[in-house]
Amino acid sequence: MGGVIIRSAVPLFLSMVTSVIGTFVVTSVLGRHATVTLAAFAVMTAVLNPAAAAVTGALRGLGPFVAPHRDDPVRAVPVLRDARWLTLLVGTAGALAVLAVPLLARATGVPGEVVAELGPLPWLLALYLLVYASGGGATTVLVALGHSRQVLWSSLAGTAVMACCSLVLVPRLGLTGVGVAWLLWGTVGVVVANVCLRRAIGVRVGQGRPRPARIAELARVSVPLAATVLIKFGGLGVITFAASTTSARDAAAHAVLTTLTSLIMLASLSVAQASVPEVARAADAAGARRANRVAALVALGGTAVGALVLLVVSDPVLALFTDDPGVRERAAGLLPLMLLASAADGAQAVQGIGLTALKKSAASMVYFAGGYGLMVAAAVPVAATWGLTGLWTALAVTNLVLVVLQGTGFHRHSARVGRAVVEA
C-alpha cells in the first residue's frame, strides 16, 4: 500500500512545487516593479490566500464521495454535478470576500496610495476564484479516481501561463498584470484538468439540476473542511501578529521560518491527499487504519528527508531570504524547533485528512478550533514573556496536541467503517 500512496503522492507533490514556483515568480517580479505595488499585493493576498484555501478545502471534501466509484467512474457523474453547484456557492463567497478588500483596507488604516494601487485587481481575482470553483474540483476527482498524474499536467500548464504572463504584463501593467496572469492561470488549469477528467471518466459531466439533499450531504464534509482551513490561517495570522510585537529582527526571522514551513509541509500534504482514496475505499476498520498508518509513516519520512536537507544547507538557504546576518542567525537558532512544529503539523494533517476520507471533517474542525483557540488566546502573552522562541514552542505543542486529538478521532470514527457497510 505504501507504494500505491507514494506513486499517487509524487505527482501531487510536484504539482504543489510548481505552484509555489509560480507564486515566487510573481512576488519577485512585483518586488522589482515598485515598493507600493508589492505592498498592495501583500494586502490583497492577506484575504486572497485564506479565501482560495477555503475554496480548495471545500473542493477536497469531494474525494471520499468519488473514490468508491474508481472501478466504475461513470457512476460518479451525478456526484460531480452536485459538487459543481456546491463549489460555485463556495467560490462566490470567496469572490465576495476578495471584492471587499479595498473597503477592509481603508477601514484598517492602510495608506491611501496602497489602496489606490489595487485598481481592478480585486475584480480580476474574484473572477479567478469563480473560474477555479467552476471546475468542480476536477483535480480532487482525478486523485480520487486514481489519476493523480494528470493533476501535474494541469499544474504545469497553469503555472507556465502565470509565470510567462507575469514576466510580460507586470512591468507594463503592475498589479493589473498580476490579476490577468492569475485569471489565465486559473482558466488554463481548470480547462486542462477537466479535459483530463473527461478522458478518465469517458463521458461529459455537464451541469445537472440542483439536488438540495445531495448538495447538503457534500456540504457536511466540504464546509467543515473549508472552515478548518480558515481556522488555521486565522491562528497563524495571530501568531504572525504576535511575532511582530517582539522586534524587527524576530519578525523577519519568523517570516523566513514560516516560508520554510510551507515548503517542508508539501510532502505531508501530498501524501495526505493521496491517502484519501485508500481510506475512503477501505472495506473495514483495519483497512482504513492501515492506509492511514502507512500514509503517516510516508509523510514523516518525507518530512525527515526535507528537514535533513535543510539542516545541512541551512546557511545558503537562509541567505536566499535575507542579507541581514542577525536575522539569519536568529532563524538558524530556531530551525530545529520549526522542524519539530512542521513534522507535528504534517502528522496531524494526515490524521485530519484521514477524517475527511471518513466523511468526518466536522470532528477535525472541532479539534482544530479547540487547539488553535487556546494557542491564539496565549499568543500575545507568550510573545511578551518568551518572545519568538515561546511562539514557536506554542505552535509545536499545539500541533503535537492535534496529532493526539486527530489520531484518536480517526481511530474512533474508523471503527464504524466495516460496521456501516453491514448496517447498510
Side-chain angles (χ1 to χ4, degrees), residues 28 47 57 91 117 149 185-186 191 205 208 238 254 284 288 292 316 329 357 359 363 368 373 417:
S28 175
V47 175
E117 187 70 15
R149 187 177 299 178
W185 171 41
V191 169
V205 175
V238 172
H254 178 75
D284 53 26
N292 181 259
E329 181 181 357
K359 302 179 182 178
F368 243 95
V417 172

Short mmCIF file of all heavy atoms in Angstrom, two decimals, residues 28 47 57 91 117 149 185-186 191 205 208 238 254 284 288 292 316 329 357 359 363 368 373 417:
data_model
loop_
_atom_site.label_atom_id
_atom_site.label_comp_id
_atom_site.label_asym_id
_atom_site.label_seq_id
_atom_site.Cartn_x
_atom_site.Cartn_y
_atom_site.Cartn_z
N SER A 28 8.63 38.00 -7.02
CA SER A 28 9.92 38.54 -7.45
C SER A 28 9.73 39.66 -8.47
O SER A 28 10.37 40.71 -8.37
CB SER A 28 10.76 37.41 -8.06
OG SER A 28 11.97 37.91 -8.58
N VAL A 47 -6.17 38.46 2.15
CA VAL A 47 -7.54 37.95 2.04
C VAL A 47 -7.64 36.85 0.99
O VAL A 47 -8.34 35.85 1.17
CB VAL A 47 -8.51 39.10 1.68
CG1 VAL A 47 -9.94 38.56 1.45
CG2 VAL A 47 -8.53 40.13 2.79
N GLY A 57 -10.18 23.80 0.16
CA GLY A 57 -10.62 22.85 1.18
C GLY A 57 -11.98 22.27 0.86
O GLY A 57 -12.21 21.06 1.01
N GLY A 91 -17.23 29.28 -4.06
CA GLY A 91 -16.43 30.22 -4.85
C GLY A 91 -17.01 31.61 -4.84
O GLY A 91 -16.27 32.61 -4.79
N GLU A 117 -3.48 51.64 -5.40
CA GLU A 117 -2.66 50.80 -6.27
C GLU A 117 -3.36 49.49 -6.64
O GLU A 117 -3.04 48.87 -7.66
CB GLU A 117 -1.32 50.49 -5.58
CG GLU A 117 -0.31 49.76 -6.44
CD GLU A 117 0.27 50.62 -7.55
OE1 GLU A 117 0.10 51.86 -7.50
OE2 GLU A 117 0.89 50.05 -8.46
N ARG A 149 -1.57 11.57 -11.63
CA ARG A 149 -0.54 12.05 -12.56
C ARG A 149 -1.08 13.16 -13.46
O ARG A 149 -0.35 14.07 -13.86
CB ARG A 149 -0.02 10.89 -13.40
CG ARG A 149 1.17 11.26 -14.29
CD ARG A 149 1.68 10.04 -15.04
NE ARG A 149 2.13 9.00 -14.11
CZ ARG A 149 2.57 7.82 -14.50
NH1 ARG A 149 2.63 7.53 -15.79
NH2 ARG A 149 2.96 6.93 -13.60
N TRP A 185 -4.10 31.79 -15.37
CA TRP A 185 -3.60 30.60 -14.66
C TRP A 185 -4.76 29.69 -14.25
O TRP A 185 -4.76 28.49 -14.51
CB TRP A 185 -2.80 31.05 -13.45
CG TRP A 185 -2.40 29.95 -12.50
CD1 TRP A 185 -1.95 28.70 -12.82
CD2 TRP A 185 -2.38 30.01 -11.07
NE1 TRP A 185 -1.65 27.97 -11.69
CE2 TRP A 185 -1.92 28.76 -10.60
CE3 TRP A 185 -2.71 31.00 -10.15
CZ2 TRP A 185 -1.78 28.48 -9.23
CZ3 TRP A 185 -2.56 30.72 -8.80
CH2 TRP A 185 -2.10 29.48 -8.36
N GLY A 186 -5.75 30.30 -13.60
CA GLY A 186 -6.90 29.52 -13.17
C GLY A 186 -7.67 28.93 -14.33
O GLY A 186 -8.10 27.76 -14.28
N VAL A 191 -9.35 24.19 -17.38
CA VAL A 191 -9.62 23.56 -18.68
C VAL A 191 -8.84 22.26 -18.83
O VAL A 191 -9.40 21.22 -19.21
CB VAL A 191 -9.28 24.55 -19.82
CG1 VAL A 191 -9.30 23.82 -21.17
CG2 VAL A 191 -10.26 25.71 -19.84
N VAL A 205 -19.33 15.46 -18.09
CA VAL A 205 -20.00 15.63 -16.79
C VAL A 205 -21.22 16.54 -16.93
O VAL A 205 -22.32 16.19 -16.49
CB VAL A 205 -19.03 16.21 -15.75
CG1 VAL A 205 -19.76 16.50 -14.44
CG2 VAL A 205 -17.88 15.25 -15.51
N GLY A 208 -26.11 19.28 -14.12
CA GLY A 208 -27.47 18.81 -13.92
C GLY A 208 -28.27 19.75 -13.04
O GLY A 208 -27.78 20.78 -12.57
N VAL A 238 -2.57 35.32 13.71
CA VAL A 238 -2.40 35.87 15.06
C VAL A 238 -0.97 35.65 15.56
O VAL A 238 -0.37 36.53 16.18
CB VAL A 238 -3.42 35.24 16.03
CG1 VAL A 238 -3.12 35.66 17.47
CG2 VAL A 238 -4.83 35.66 15.65
N HIS A 254 10.78 35.25 11.80
CA HIS A 254 9.52 34.49 11.78
C HIS A 254 8.99 34.34 10.36
O HIS A 254 8.50 33.28 9.97
CB HIS A 254 8.48 35.19 12.66
CG HIS A 254 7.14 34.51 12.65
ND1 HIS A 254 6.89 33.34 13.34
CD2 HIS A 254 5.99 34.83 12.01
CE1 HIS A 254 5.63 32.98 13.14
NE2 HIS A 254 5.07 33.86 12.34
N ASP A 284 -13.03 -2.27 5.65
CA ASP A 284 -13.24 -2.44 7.08
C ASP A 284 -12.33 -1.49 7.85
O ASP A 284 -11.51 -0.77 7.27
CB ASP A 284 -12.99 -3.89 7.50
CG ASP A 284 -11.63 -4.41 7.04
OD1 ASP A 284 -10.71 -3.59 6.87
OD2 ASP A 284 -11.49 -5.63 6.84
N ALA A 288 -8.84 0.75 6.71
CA ALA A 288 -8.76 2.20 6.81
C ALA A 288 -7.60 2.62 7.70
O ALA A 288 -6.85 3.55 7.37
CB ALA A 288 -10.07 2.76 7.36
N ASN A 292 -4.15 4.71 6.67
CA ASN A 292 -3.80 5.93 7.40
C ASN A 292 -2.43 5.82 8.05
O ASN A 292 -1.64 6.77 8.04
CB ASN A 292 -4.87 6.20 8.46
CG ASN A 292 -4.61 7.47 9.25
OD1 ASN A 292 -4.12 7.41 10.36
ND2 ASN A 292 -4.93 8.61 8.67
N PRO A 316 23.18 28.58 3.14
CA PRO A 316 22.83 29.15 1.83
C PRO A 316 21.33 29.34 1.63
O PRO A 316 20.91 30.28 0.94
CB PRO A 316 23.40 28.13 0.83
CG PRO A 316 23.60 26.88 1.61
CD PRO A 316 23.89 27.30 3.01
N GLU A 329 20.97 34.46 11.77
CA GLU A 329 21.40 33.78 12.99
C GLU A 329 20.19 33.41 13.86
O GLU A 329 20.12 32.31 14.42
CB GLU A 329 22.35 34.68 13.78
CG GLU A 329 22.87 34.04 15.07
CD GLU A 329 23.78 34.98 15.84
OE1 GLU A 329 24.03 36.11 15.34
OE2 GLU A 329 24.21 34.59 16.94
N ALA A 357 -11.60 11.69 4.76
CA ALA A 357 -11.86 10.50 3.96
C ALA A 357 -12.97 9.65 4.57
O ALA A 357 -13.70 8.94 3.85
CB ALA A 357 -10.58 9.67 3.82
N LYS A 359 -15.47 11.02 5.97
CA LYS A 359 -16.59 11.96 5.96
C LYS A 359 -16.88 12.51 7.35
O LYS A 359 -18.03 12.78 7.71
CB LYS A 359 -17.86 11.32 5.37
CG LYS A 359 -17.69 10.80 3.95
CD LYS A 359 -18.96 10.15 3.43
CE LYS A 359 -18.76 9.59 2.02
NZ LYS A 359 -19.96 8.91 1.50
N ALA A 363 -15.46 16.69 12.83
CA ALA A 363 -14.70 16.35 14.03
C ALA A 363 -13.33 17.02 13.99
O ALA A 363 -12.87 17.58 15.00
CB ALA A 363 -14.55 14.84 14.14
N PHE A 368 -9.45 21.33 15.76
CA PHE A 368 -8.66 22.49 15.36
C PHE A 368 -9.11 23.74 16.10
O PHE A 368 -8.28 24.55 16.55
CB PHE A 368 -8.78 22.72 13.84
CG PHE A 368 -7.46 22.57 13.13
CD1 PHE A 368 -7.11 21.38 12.54
CD2 PHE A 368 -6.59 23.63 13.06
CE1 PHE A 368 -5.90 21.23 11.90
CE2 PHE A 368 -5.36 23.50 12.42
CZ PHE A 368 -5.02 22.29 11.83
N GLY A 373 -7.62 27.62 19.19
CA GLY A 373 -8.23 28.63 20.04
C GLY A 373 -7.38 28.92 21.27
O GLY A 373 -7.16 30.08 21.64
N VAL A 417 -16.25 1.79 10.01
CA VAL A 417 -16.15 1.56 8.56
C VAL A 417 -16.81 0.25 8.16
O VAL A 417 -17.73 0.22 7.36
CB VAL A 417 -14.68 1.60 8.11
CG1 VAL A 417 -14.57 1.16 6.65
CG2 VAL A 417 -14.10 2.98 8.28
#
